[in-house]
Amino acid sequence: KFLPPVLSKFASWTILGELFFSLTAYLALAPVFFRLIFGGLDDFYFFGGRDYLWVLIFWVFSSFFIFLSASLKGRVEIIGTLGIVFIIAASFFVGRNMPFAPEVFKLSRLSDFLTPFGPLLFAFAARPAISEVLIIHKKAKDEGRSFSLKQAVFWGAAIPAAFYFIFVVAVLRLSPAASEDALTGIQSSINFSPLLAIALGVFGLLTLWTSYFILGGDARGIIRDDMKKPRAAAAGAVVFLPALIYLFGFKDFLTAVSLVGGLF
């Protein structure tokens, strides 16, 4: 709206790249939570491996919800928020009395200082949520209800920052050799009860699921409304492109979030 046409197109394509690789990152992470739930299916095989089945199930189910209205997405997103709170609270509770291992504080290379910035910027890149919040803000304004956009943006950044900090502390207490997805490293370091592992898997999937359809809906809106493409083309792109990127080999979660946070 505010940029010259050339820069506007460049910005739109850059944002779309961020969104599609973000969606691919969530597809890559989904099998981790399925393994927590169905850990006993180690011998199960499906085409290229068991992970493909988990990705297929998650992709089909999540893609359907991309087409919900903004108000329904907002209500369902509460489930994802509760999932995040549960995972952080469970991790903090289990590791509350564990000391930090000395390995946590060892940084052997300069790149060790730079590694976190891509994932951190990915975690704080809430631009896709802004468009959804703006829709709710406009609706509230039309209905004569008060809704502070500035307050929503401020607390939407500050509260996650506090939860991220608590989660990092909890993970480093539980697992000095933290894994890329955090929970795998924790599970290998301590003996999770099967019930807790299943609960973490379920709430983790709920969190991924709600994030997936929020981002997918934003990408669909950009293609349809900003780029003026047909509705069918927009729907097809958000449903199939993330899966195609995954199938073409983009299956590493940390690489995906580092690319999105550090580049896009």
Side-chain angles (χ1 to χ4, degrees):
K1 183 176 179 180
F2 297 103
L3 292 172
V6 174
L7 288 179
S8 176
K9 289 180 180 178
F10 176 75
S12 292
W13 282 109
T14 302
I15 290 168
L16 275 180
E18 169 202 335
L19 291 172
F20 283 125
F21 277 98
S22 296
L23 293 171
T24 305
Y26 290 133
L27 291 178
L29 189 57
V32 172
F33 297 108
F34 276 109
R35 283 189 221 112
L36 286 172
I37 301 170
F38 304 107
L41 296 179
D42 289 333
D43 298 327
F44 188 79
Y45 195 80
F46 177 81
F47 290 110
R50 184 185 31 152
D51 283 359
Y52 283 88
L53 175 63
W54 304 144
V55 170
L56 178 64
I57 293 171
F58 179 81
W59 169 67
V60 170
F61 187 70
S62 301
S63 296
F64 172 78
F65 282 85
I66 288 174
F67 303 96
L68 290 180
S69 66
S71 58
L72 281 175
K73 284 180 183 175
R75 290 173 191 150
V76 178
E77 175 68 6
I78 294 172
I79 299 172
T81 303
L82 292 175
I84 294 172
V85 172
F86 176 83
I87 291 173
I88 295 173
S91 303
F92 186 79
F93 179 79
V94 173
R96 67 191 185 284
N97 295 322
M98 294 184 182
F100 287 113
E103 300 95 301
V104 168
F105 303 100
K106 290 180 180 177
L107 297 172
S108 56
R109 303 180 304 274
L110 177 62
S111 60
D112 290 340
F113 290 93
L114 304 176
T115 299
F117 286 100
L120 279 174
L121 289 171
F122 172 86
F124 279 107
R127 189 213 52 77
I130 298 297
S131 58
E132 300 289 341
V133 172
L134 190 60
I135 292 171
I136 297 170
H137 167 68
K138 288 179 177 177
K139 186 176 179 181
K141 191 175 180 181
D142 292 340
E143 295 175 354
R145 294 184 287 110
S146 62
F147 184 96
S148 172
L149 197 60
K150 290 182 179 179
Q151 290 284 324
V153 173
F154 175 80
W155 291 111
I159 294 173
F163 276 100
Y164 291 162
F165 178 77
I166 294 169
F167 184 60
V168 168
V169 170
V171 169
L172 291 179
R173 285 182 184 275
L174 290 169
S175 175
S179 62
E180 293 181 5
D181 56 71
L183 293 181
T184 302
I186 294 174
Q187 192 179 26
S188 62
S189 299
I190 63 173
N191 292 321
F192 266 159
S193 72
L195 190 61
L196 179 58
I198 291 171
L200 287 172
V202 169
F203 280 102
L205 282 175
L206 287 173
T207 302
L208 283 189
W209 166 58
T210 54
S211 299
Y212 193 94
F213 66 66
I214 291 290
L215 295 187
D218 192 53
R220 176 172 167 250
I222 290 173
I223 297 170
R224 184 191 62 201
D225 301 328
D226 297 342
M227 296 183 166
K228 309 300 182 186
K229 302 297 182 184
R231 298 173 71 91
V238 298
V239 170
F240 293 107
L241 268 181
L244 288 174
I245 295 171
Y246 179 86
L247 290 175
F248 276 105
F250 219 92
K251 302 170 186 174
D252 183 79
F253 173 70
L254 190 59
T255 300
V257 297
S258 297
L259 179 68
V260 174
L263 180 61
F264 288 105

